[in-house]
Every structure is written in structure tokens, then in C-alpha cells.
Amino acid sequence: MPAIQTRTFPSPLGKIIVCATEQGLCLLEFVGSKRIEREQQDLQRLLQRPIAVGDNIHLQQTEAELNEYFSGCRIQFSVALHTPATPFQAAVWQALQTIPYGKTVSYQEQANRIGKPTAVRAVANANGANRVSIIIPCHRVIGSDGSLTGYAGGLQRKQWLLAHERGELPNSQDLFGESLF
């Protein structure tokens, strides 16, 4: 079985690391995140194959689609995903993908959407386990009071992504600059 391919590329929010199999994208995270090593180990265990620096069509498509997203030309992603998950995580991640660009929902609303209104904490945990940041848009989930809560990429990035999707950023896409990340 071929290795999981990985590479990095720049973004307005800092360097991004991506991993993909021949089936699709399985990881998208910001370089420097404390969880990258654990997520990569989990992927190797779940998919029973090593990770190697390389390239494939899904990594190329991810970079192209993210560049379009950051430039304001893309609101939906079409890159294939390969996201091993529990059935509950899969349901939560599928629900995340139905949140429209530029909109937010609360963790409670997300729990309601998957038919588990009492599972708010479990939904939050499943959001936190999402290995495909931005494309599976966990940044669109906020607290019931409208506050920004929990984002593995950091709350500044979550704030930037939401402002970007609402069209509230100045022309410079590098709002925070690399030095903050």
C-alpha cells in the first residue's frame, strides 16, 4: 500500500501541512500546531501505512482550492476526503460541511442537526478531533452566546477565517502576519 503523502505550503495564516492518500485529503493543519504529530501518528495507525514527503493530485487540488478560498474566489471545496472516523465523528463532520460559507452555528445547534440534542460536549469533542481544518469548517461553530470558542489553529485564526468569509477583511489578506503564528 502506498504511503500517505505530505507537504506544506504557505497561506495568509501561516504555513499549512497537508496529507493525502490516493483516496483523498486526510489532514490539513497549521504548521506549529501541537497536535500535528499526534494526528499523523493516528493516521498512520488507522490507515496502516507510513507518511512520506511527496505529492499527489489531492494535495495539488487542496492547495489550489485553498488559494482560491483565501483570494475570495471559492466558497465550497470539492477535493476528495479520506477521513477515518467513528460513526459519531463522521456524522458531526458531515454536519460541519453543511454550514454555509459565512455563517455560524452553535455547538447546541450542531448537536440538534445530527439528532443528538444532549450531546453538545461530544459534538465539541468530535469538532476538536477534526483533522481537516478549513475544508471541514469547524471554525464556523461558536458558543451559544456568540463567543469564539475552541479552535485548534488558535482563536485568532478562527476570527480571521470568519471575518474573511463575511467579507470583513481589508484588501490585505495577510491581516495578522506570519509573526503571530
Side-chain angles (χ1 to χ4, degrees):
M1 200 174 292
I4 301 165
Q5 301 295 302
T6 187
R7 68 187 194 89
T8 62
F9 54 84
S11 84
L13 297 175
K15 286 186 180 177
I16 291 176
I17 186 168
V18 289
C19 294
T21 66
E22 66 283 353
Q23 292 175 266
L25 184 69
C26 53
L27 183 129
L28 188 157
E29 195 61 75
F30 293 101
V31 170
S33 170
K34 294 174 184 168
R35 37 188 270 164
I36 290 175
E37 188 174 322
R38 179 179 38 101
E39 288 176 326
Q40 288 179 325
Q41 289 170 350
D42 287 347
L43 281 173
Q44 289 178 94
R45 179 183 50 79
L46 291 166
L47 300 177
Q48 299 182 336
R49 52 178 120 173
I51 295 176
V53 174
D55 204 6
N56 69 26
I57 191 166
H58 303 298
L59 297 179
Q60 294 167 10
Q61 183 179 353
T62 298
E63 182 176 12
E65 288 187 11
L66 281 173
N67 285 336
E68 292 168 359
Y69 168 83
F70 287 126
S71 70
C73 299
R74 176 174 289 276
I75 63 172
Q76 290 184 312
F77 295 96
S78 62
V79 65
L81 300 176
H82 185 186
T83 52
T86 67
F88 183 79
Q89 287 172 329
V92 169
W93 298 345
Q94 184 61 43
L96 285 171
Q97 293 175 76
T98 67
I99 303 169
Y101 178 92
K103 303 293 183 191
T104 58
V105 300
S106 69
Y107 290 97
Q108 180 65 65
E109 289 172 279
Q110 190 182 10
N112 292 343
R113 285 178 174 208
I114 65 165
K116 305 278 186 185
T118 61
V120 176
R121 284 191 181 179
V123 163
N125 287 336
N127 281 1
N130 172 22
R131 288 183 290 273
V132 184
S133 182
I134 303 173
I135 291 175
I136 298 178
C138 54
H139 63 277
R140 295 180 188 155
V141 182
I142 59 174
S144 294
D145 62 357
S147 64
L148 298 186
T149 60
Y151 186 64
L155 291 182
Q156 286 182 306
R157 284 189 177 110
K158 182 173 185 164
Q159 180 181 20
W160 190 97
L161 290 166
L162 293 173
H164 168 70
E165 291 184 5
R166 289 189 307 260
E168 296 174 358
L169 291 180
N171 286 338
S172 170
Q173 291 292 301
D174 196 2
L175 185 62
F176 293 121
E178 290 273 335
S179 63
L180 292 179
F181 302 107

